[in-house]
Amino acid sequence: HSRPNHHPYNKSGSTPRQNPPSSQGLSTRRELYERDFPVYKQPVEVGCFSLDSERRFFNDSRQMRYYVEPDRNPNFDLRDGYKDRFIKRDDSVKEKLDHILRWILANRLKLSSKGTTASPCALDVDVVTWRGHLTKLLTSPYETKEGWLLAVTRFRGTLYISEVETEAARRDRETRTERHEEMMYWGYKFEQYTCADNAHSVPDTGGVVNTNEAFCTVVQTRLADHRLLFSGEVDCRDKDPDAPAPPACYIELKTSAEICTPKQRSNFHRFKLLKWWAQSFLPGVPRVVAGFRDHEGVVVTVDTFPVSKMSHLIKNEHNCWKPTVCMNFCCDFLSFVKRIATEDNPSVVYLFSWEPHRDVTYSVHRDSQYSFLPHWYVEEMTS
Ligand code: 0WD
Ligand code: CA
């Protein structure tokens, strides 16, 4: 007998669910979402794409990297190469859903059941978005600092969800300290120490870190009655050719401050593990490899966290996060969006906004600065 699992991926079946009471907005209060875990089907990889050192799109896996297990106490110097071997992506450029839309156009026939090359039909999915946007939804019931803005457009029956940077996030981005800028590099440097370009090579620790480069998986799944198509950046894969098929062979890499006190341990469990769990659970990535570093940016220990065990590690913490609350909130948010975003029009944006301790609210915008579906996409999908 297998132990009852708190948050399985459902192979089939359904669970009853009800919407929490709400007058106009949607509440993020945790108590409203403490019910049975919703159906979340095992995510299936339907494709992938790569972005090269100049952020050009390729409909293939050329940027895939292979995990090379480090020493448990590797003493990696994460400061090495900052700034002389660092090319940083321009994060003031907002790409919105463009790369995913390019992938959809290149793979349209995989996505619609009845389409032909001559006459493709609408996509067989309810929602198209980035995995990172869904992560923000999952963690909202526990988030006390950062709000979000999500732009939604209904086009040929599908809801496209694209983040809009909040004023607060823009301020933070524009006023980062030199220390913060360097610490952002540390995460990418850790990837360089632990990833090789192919299954038979070793990490090139003297090379350039270029954050334009990315390998992204595209997965399909279903959350209750919401059919989802989303993409997420994947750091690397298990290099064993007998490893399970994607996404089960993928590995998420993280760096985190070393844990020295019970309070640090508790904070790590309550805040960081929630974000790590949400991000990897969504696409079905089973393992997170974490490098714990000191204040000088030296990795003192490396630990592997199975995603399926993260929610058990927290059970000793008082008032901790629950996967079911995260998933039920996301599910109810998507139902809320379906109910509100009814006009099927590529130039209409329903802007959903949320600040901690408030309800989710929305506003409607026609031909505004918020419109995000590019003409090249709308035209090719309509013809
Ligand atoms: O322009 C935008 N508004 C956004 C673009 C917002 C969010 C994402 N993106 C796109 C980019 O095209 C990027 O290639 O993000 C892709 C990754 O998407 P995701 O997987 O949905 O994002 P998320 O789960 O938040 O982040 C995964 C990784 C991060 O790793 P860590 O370990 O720090 O979570 O993607 C990187 C980062 O390495 N990343 C980004 N890369 C480029 N642009 C961005 C970003 N805005 N955010 C995170
Ligand atoms: Ca990562």
Side-chain angles (χ1 to χ4, degrees):
H1 278 278
S2 57
R3 284 164 61 240
N5 191 338
H6 194 66
H7 49 95
Y9 294 111
N10 301 282
K11 292 253 157 66
S12 63
S14 63
T15 327
R17 47 171 288 279
Q18 25 347 54
N19 292 317
S22 139
S23 45
Q24 341 104 29
L26 177 71
S27 173
T28 55
R29 285 173 52 211
R30 300 162 199 184
E31 320 82 78
L32 298 171
Y33 302 98
E34 299 219 3
R35 47 180 196 259
D36 287 347
F37 201 82
V39 168
Y40 189 64
K41 296 222 345 165
Q42 184 95 52
V44 174
E45 180 175 83
V46 291
C48 63
F49 59 86
S50 294
L51 304 174
D52 74 0
S53 59
E54 293 168 52
R55 209 71 184 162
R56 288 176 299 210
F57 173 95
F58 294 90
N59 183 30
D60 59 39
S61 61
R62 67 184 66 193
Q63 294 289 349
M64 168 87 83
R65 291 179 301 175
Y66 296 79
Y67 179 62
V68 177
E69 192 179 341
D71 222 65
R72 211 179 135 75
N73 307 108
N75 285 316
F76 292 144
D77 177 9
L78 302 180
R79 304 178 96 157
D80 180 54
Y82 187 76
K83 318 171 154 187
D84 53 308
R85 283 176 287 124
F86 180 33
I87 297 172
K88 186 176 168 282
R89 190 185 72 94
D90 179 354
D91 54 13
S92 68
V93 176
K94 299 303 172 199
E95 300 172 323
K96 298 171 274 196
L97 299 185
D98 291 4
H99 299 306
I100 302 179
L101 304 180
R102 267 185 208 104
W103 182 88
I104 290 175
L105 289 184
N107 296 273
R108 250 177 115 179
L109 290 176
K110 279 192 208 168
L111 294 171
S112 47
S113 48
K114 299 171 292 282
T116 63
T117 320
S119 143
C121 67
L123 301 179
D124 272 338
V125 297
D126 299 308
V127 174
V128 169
T129 192
W130 282 106
R131 175 270 307 274
H133 302 359
L134 296 172
T135 305
K136 287 194 178 175
L137 289 169
L138 260 63
T139 57
S140 296
Y142 300 103
E143 179 62 51
T144 58
K145 293 193 175 78
E146 290 167 20
W148 44 252
L149 286 170
L150 292 170
V152 179
T153 291
R154 186 186 286 268
F155 174 53
R156 302 187 96 209
T158 297
L159 297 163
Y160 294 82
I161 306 182
S162 179
E163 185 177 43
V164 173
E165 188 170 51
T166 62
E167 280 303 321
R170 186 169 63 93
R171 241 187 347 263
D172 289 351
R173 178 169 55 76
E174 287 171 350
T175 60
R176 276 183 213 135
T177 61
E178 184 48 39
R179 168 85 179 165
H180 188 198
E181 287 285 343
E182 180 176 344
M183 287 174 71
M184 290 175 67
Y185 168 79
W186 294 358
Y188 296 104
K189 184 66 189 177
F190 181 62
E191 295 175 8
Q192 192 192 55
Y193 278 116
T194 52
C195 295
D197 287 343
N198 65 67
H200 313 286
S201 64
V202 293
D204 172 18
T205 60
V208 170
V209 169
N210 185 327
T211 63
N212 288 297
E213 297 175 2
F215 167 77
C216 294
T217 179
V218 182
V219 304
Q220 240 181 319
T221 183
R222 180 162 61 85
L223 171 59
D225 58 346
H226 309 297
R227 293 166 302 167
L228 313 178
L229 177 81
F230 59 85
S231 175
E233 195 173 321
V234 169
D235 293 325
C236 57
R237 59 159 292 159
D238 188 328
K239 65 178 151 79
D240 184 343
D242 296 325
C249 61
Y250 291 153
I251 300 170
E252 172 64 35
L253 301 173
K254 294 289 183 196
T255 56
S256 195
E258 113 187 83
I259 296 168
C260 303
T261 68
K263 175 148 176 99
Q264 286 169 344
R265 175 166 309 270
S266 167
N267 281 335
F268 171 77
H269 285 157
R270 298 185 52 157
F271 304 109
K272 207 140 228 194
L273 272 187
L274 164 61
K275 299 213 163 143
W276 292 6
W277 171 79
Q279 184 188 42
S280 288
F281 179 76
L282 280 164
V285 171
R287 294 188 273 167
V288 176
V289 170
F292 291 95
R293 47 93 192 147
D294 65 18
H295 288 291
E296 268 83 62
V298 173
V299 175
V300 289
T301 16
V302 174
D303 247 317
T304 299
F305 293 86
V307 173
S308 62
K309 290 188 183 155
M310 287 183 180
S311 66
H312 308 146
L313 288 175
I314 57 177
K315 291 203 173 123
N316 292 325
E317 304 289 343
H318 176 66
N319 221 336
C320 210
W321 55 273
K322 295 190 179 104
T324 199
V325 168
C326 301
M327 297 304 283
N328 282 314
F329 171 71
C330 183
C331 183
D332 285 7
F333 173 77
L334 296 177
S335 301
F336 181 65
V337 169
K338 278 184 182 170
R339 197 157 67 239
I340 305 295
T342 52
E343 185 178 335
D344 199 301
N345 183 335
S347 58
V348 171
V349 164
Y350 297 84
L351 186 65
F352 291 83
S353 44
W354 179 70
E355 286 300 328
H357 314 296
R358 303 258 181 275
D359 284 359
V360 179
T361 59
Y362 69 93
S363 50
V364 190
H365 306 262
R366 234 162 257 280
D367 302 302
S368 71
Q369 55 176 342
Y370 296 116
S371 294
F372 63 87
L373 286 183
H375 288 117
W376 52 260
Y377 183 72
V378 172
E379 269 144 40
E380 192 159 335
M381 287 298 273
T382 327
S383 64

